[in-house]
Amino acid sequence: MLVKFLRVLKIMRVVIRYGLDHMAMSSLPHARTGGIAKRMVFWRDLSAPRGVRLRRALEDLGPIFVKFGQLLSTRRDLLPADIADELALLQDRVPPFDSDLAIAEIIRSLGAHPDQLFAHFERTPVASASIAQVHFATLKNGREVAVKVLRPGMRKSIEEDIGLMYIAAAWIERLWADGRRLKPREVVAEFDKYLHDELDLMREAANASQLRRNFADSELLLVPEMIWDYCSTNVIVMERMNGIPISQKERLLAAGIDLKKLSSDGVEIFFTQVFRDGFFHADMHPGNILVSTEPATFGRYIALDFGIVGTLTDFDKEYLSQNFLAFFRRDYKRVAEAHIESGWAPKDTRVDELEAAVRACCEPIFDRPLKEISFGQVLLRLFQTSRRFNVEVQPQLVLLQKTLLNIEGLGRQLDPDLDLWKTAKPYLERWMQEQVGWRGLVERLKIEAPHYSKLIPQLPRLLHQALSQRVETSQPEPELLKALLAEQKRTNLLLGLIVYFGGGAVAGVLIMQIYWHWYRLFL
């Protein structure tokens, strides 16, 4: 209880020091900003811009609040631009914890000392963040691995700070003029979920395994293999990846990496994850990406840290592809229609009004050369414009926007002339053709084929049951009986053809014919 009380006092001190109370009170109607606190607290400085003061306050409050600020920076649909830009500068600058604590956690989680588990274990960590730190090691079979260990006491610390955040969010909602629009309690709940997901390292290992499987045949992306015998909730062991950090442009050039290809490959990796798999690495900032220098995989991306991933449904993918292609073609009416059809804009929204708002948002952007247009900023401005039409920005799209901004910024850091639109358009058009063309139909029929194999043998029994129920409820007419017998013969013939020819696509077409005749008969 005393620890919690002291934590509250520290938060209050930081709030007053950086004038966050002044920032909140200034938005209240008829509020007297400045007030007594401004005159009494001599160490209070309001000269810095509000975004800078908020960033410094979060840094003083520690790693959990820093991560919260990082999440807030992605919610540009809710925050003023100056605050979102400043929060985007937040970095996890966390000193490593004692190696003895890491060893104790490994013993507790894996049941043995690192000296027993590994041929060699480096006590000095190679990386440290707010949630975990990483040590290099070598398995007894000679394989080099990386050992990720959860920071001790994180769960308790997080739950205490999250509890305080919920209290603060409730007060913000009551006192700040923009409180309700900012949805602080929903944002804290979203942050709570992400943090607890990151605390389960087995979840991260599973994410990595899925991404690795998705790109098993890819020439673009490498994902470390998880060593499952050494994985637990608090400790995971994975294949050690060797490469150059993607932010070190000079080293990449010296190694002979083609930066233009690397830049366009990043865009293709992103769209492949989003539109092919609906499963994407949602934390692809430069600190989580290496470039392979191994001869067999030279120039490929290496992804690290899989604590945060995003998922998209087929509905989400179709919505996004339609919007992106409509943007490419400046078809603002289609953008407006897609918002309303998706249910993200109210059904009574006038298409022409939303179309006009989107046009006003996007036309000034398109007057610039395509290579200077920020794809992520277009999405951001669309979200901001849509706000006045009560469009709810979906959480999965917020993660997507964050990732797109990361990829776009990274791509243009590598190649200032990157035309992300030109790179993305053919991919999106090809994906749409695969979805709506014959290829897409065949693929979906293949997916449904196992269901057909179970249904087809049951069709005679199901038809007999339907006919029996029909006879019991009413006396059929002679013509109806003849029609039913004819339909039974036709069904038997069709079933014979299905058995003879087989194949998912043929089965699907024939079953659709059967259902159509039944529908006409019993309607």
Side-chain angles (χ1 to χ4, degrees), residues 269-283:
I269 289 170
F270 171 76
F271 282 100
T272 300
Q273 290 182 74
V274 170
F275 290 104
R276 187 193 69 184
D277 305 325
F279 184 90
F280 61 94
H281 191 310
D283 201 17

Side-chain angles (χ1 to χ4, degrees), residues 245-263:
I246 200 167
S247 58
Q248 297 182 9
K249 190 173 177 179
E250 292 76 14
R251 286 186 61 192
L252 294 174
L253 287 170
I257 303 291
D258 184 343
L259 297 189
K260 287 185 178 293
K261 182 179 185 302
L262 194 65
S263 177

Side-chain angles (χ1 to χ4, degrees), residues 225-463:
E225 180 184 0
M226 292 293 143
I227 314 299
W228 289 108
D229 289 341
Y230 296 87
C231 289
S232 69
T233 300
N234 293 345
V235 177
I236 57 175
V237 177
M238 68 194 80
E239 172 188 8
R240 178 176 172 178
M241 309 299 286
N242 296 305
I244 300 172
I246 200 167
S247 58
Q248 297 182 9
K249 190 173 177 179
E250 292 76 14
R251 286 186 61 192
L252 294 174
L253 287 170
I257 303 291
D258 184 343
L259 297 189
K260 287 185 178 293
K261 182 179 185 302
L262 194 65
S263 177
S264 62
D265 284 352
V267 177
E268 184 173 348
I269 289 170
F270 171 76
F271 282 100
T272 300
Q273 290 182 74
V274 170
F275 290 104
R276 187 193 69 184
D277 305 325
F279 184 90
F280 61 94
H281 191 310
D283 201 17
M284 290 194 73
H285 60 75
N288 286 338
I289 302 174
L290 304 177
V291 180
S292 175
T293 53
E294 298 290 331
T297 57
F298 186 80
R300 294 190 200 176
Y301 277 72
I302 299 173
L304 303 173
D305 196 343
F306 310 93
I308 303 176
V309 298
T311 56
L312 298 174
T313 64
D314 290 339
F315 179 85
D316 293 330
K317 291 190 286 186
E318 184 176 351
Y319 162 81
L320 285 168
S321 60
Q322 288 187 16
N323 270 282
F324 285 161
L325 287 174
F327 276 128
F328 287 133
R329 298 163 182 163
R330 300 199 190 188
D331 186 355
Y332 304 121
K333 181 178 181 181
R334 184 61 200 138
V335 174
E337 290 173 344
H339 275 69
I340 297 170
E341 289 169 4
S342 69
W344 293 342
K347 293 296 182 186
D348 58 355
T349 302
R350 286 182 53 177
V351 174
D352 58 334
E353 290 183 356
L354 184 54
E355 177 190 358
V358 174
R359 181 183 295 110
C361 165
C362 297
E363 272 304 305
I365 298 174
F366 282 110
D367 284 340
R368 300 166 59 189
L370 281 177
K371 69 178 183 180
E372 296 179 10
I373 297 174
S374 167
F375 211 159
Q377 291 298 328
V378 169
L379 270 185
L380 166 61
R381 293 192 65 173
L382 176 64
F383 290 164
Q384 292 173 333
T385 300
S386 300
R387 187 190 302 154
R388 70 184 181 91
F389 291 91
N390 298 317
V391 174
E392 291 290 335
V393 179
Q394 306 298 303
Q396 68 272 25
L397 296 189
V398 173
L399 272 180
L400 182 80
Q401 181 209 2
K402 167 184 177 289
T403 307
L404 180 54
L405 284 169
N406 284 339
I407 291 294
E408 186 176 46
L410 181 61
R412 285 186 171 153
Q413 177 185 337
L414 297 169
D415 176 16
D417 294 326
L418 173 68
D419 187 342
L420 191 141
W421 297 78
K422 183 179 179 181
T423 307
K425 185 178 179 180
Y427 189 92
L428 288 172
E429 288 178 335
R430 184 170 67 250
W431 184 84
M432 284 294 289
Q433 290 170 0
E434 290 174 354
Q435 296 303 302
V436 301
W438 280 105
R439 183 176 174 182
L441 174 62
V442 171
E443 288 300 319
R444 285 191 291 273
L445 287 174
K446 286 181 180 178
I447 293 172
E448 295 296 331
H451 302 291
Y452 303 153
S453 65
K454 293 181 181 180
L455 177 64
I456 290 170
Q458 301 178 44
L459 288 178
R461 176 173 55 81
L462 295 174
L463 179 59

